[in-house]
Amino acid sequence: MSDTIAIGALRELTEHGIHVPDDVRLMGFDGIPFSDCANPPISTVAIDVPAMARTVIDCMVTLIESNLRHERPDDITHDHIQFQVMPRTSTLAA
């Protein structure tokens, strides 16, 4: 939802005479296509959602299986998901 919130913030900033990126720089996090359609286009961090979903499901299955065997699961509390920073007009230096 961060890109969606950034789009709403852009609208509010514009309505109050605050210019992006001249007065403030704005960045979202999600990588939704609509962030590129905003005026100005909003910079974002795009994450690999399918990889994140696979990782979460794998962790859940491991926890469930460990619980069924009455075992303590290995440390699976965090992992790394690929992402891509997508710089756009909303964060360009004036």
Side-chain angles (χ1 to χ4, degrees), residues 18-91:
I18 300 169
H19 301 96
V20 175
D22 298 331
D23 300 326
V24 66
R25 294 182 188 156
L26 184 64
M27 184 154 185
F29 184 95
D30 289 334
I32 65 170
F34 293 115
S35 60
D36 193 29
C37 299
N39 186 19
I42 298 172
S43 299
T44 188
V45 176
I47 56 173
D48 186 346
V49 174
M52 183 174 60
R54 278 191 307 274
T55 300
V56 169
I57 290 169
D58 289 345
C59 288
M60 289 174 53
V61 168
T62 299
L63 286 170
I64 291 167
E65 289 174 346
S66 294
N67 190 33
L68 290 173
R69 291 189 305 269
H70 303 288
E71 297 174 354
R72 183 172 181 193
D74 293 332
D75 182 20
I76 57 168
T77 57
H78 63 277
D79 206 332
H80 301 278
I81 304 297
Q82 293 293 327
F83 66 92
Q84 178 183 4
V85 176
M86 302 176 76
R88 296 185 179 133
T89 309
S90 71
T91 54

